[in-house]
Amino acid sequence: MEWDENCEHGIEWQDNQHKELLEKINILLESVAIGKEDKEEFRQILIFISGYIKDHLTEEEYYMKKHGYPRLDNHIKEHQKFTEDFNIILSVFKYEGIESSVELLNKLTTWFFNHTQTTDKLLAKFLKKYETS
Ligand SMILES: [Fe+2]
Ligand SMILES: [Fe+2]
């Protein structure tokens, strides 16, 4: 998946973090596509994504609260649902390993398009009124 201007919402920290996530998704996509079963690399990326999710979602929620974002409740619900789903997939991965990677990738790519490209875009539009970068 390519990063392009549609992915950029104009809030620098948010764009940078989304870009970082896309890079990791692409590494996973590629390793599954070529059938490279590098479990250690996968494990490292999943650890990264777990930390990323926590930090990134917390940061978005911080700014939503700070500026009284009107769509806060729904946005946070999406974050919570994704976190729950991701954690379930993560625990399956721990037992089944690379075999469960397709489900994981589906989840991450769907999240990227349905949340970062739509829900987060609305947030960025709102934050632009307050944040300079
Ligand atoms: Fe986001
Ligand atoms: Fe978000």
Side-chain angles (χ1 to χ4, degrees), residues 14 18 56-57 60 64 75 79 111 115-116 119-120 123:
Q14 192 196 40
H18 288 162
H56 175 69
L57 304 188
E60 285 188 358
M64 285 189 251
H75 199 131
H79 283 179
W111 168 259
H115 186 87
T116 65
T119 309
D120 284 350
L123 172 62

Side-chain angles (χ1 to χ4, degrees), residues 38-91:
D38 188 343
K39 205 176 172 189
E40 184 51 29
E41 186 187 38
F42 240 85
R43 210 179 63 82
Q44 291 300 330
I45 291 178
L46 293 186
I47 290 169
F48 167 86
I49 293 176
S50 304
Y52 166 92
I53 286 171
K54 207 163 152 271
D55 295 345
H56 175 69
L57 304 188
T58 301
E59 191 161 3
E60 285 188 358
E61 289 169 18
Y62 167 79
Y63 283 107
M64 285 189 251
K65 285 173 190 159
K66 185 180 174 188
H67 300 302
Y69 184 48
R71 297 171 188 263
L72 182 141
D73 285 351
N74 279 340
H75 199 131
I76 290 181
K77 265 183 208 149
E78 285 188 29
H79 283 179
Q80 285 168 342
K81 177 83 175 76
F82 176 70
T83 306
E84 282 165 21
D85 291 352
F86 182 80
N87 286 337
I88 290 168
I89 294 173
L90 202 61
S91 58

Side-chain angles (χ1 to χ4, degrees), residues 9-56:
H9 306 329
I11 300 291
E12 202 181 344
W13 59 264
Q14 192 196 40
D15 284 338
N16 288 339
Q17 290 173 9
H18 288 162
K19 200 177 223 172
E20 224 176 345
L21 176 64
L22 186 64
E23 278 166 13
K24 300 295 181 194
I25 293 174
N26 278 334
I27 295 173
L28 292 180
L29 278 170
E30 199 184 328
S31 81
V32 168
I34 60 175
K36 190 178 76 169
E37 298 201 3
D38 188 343
K39 205 176 172 189
E40 184 51 29
E41 186 187 38
F42 240 85
R43 210 179 63 82
Q44 291 300 330
I45 291 178
L46 293 186
I47 290 169
F48 167 86
I49 293 176
S50 304
Y52 166 92
I53 286 171
K54 207 163 152 271
D55 295 345
H56 175 69

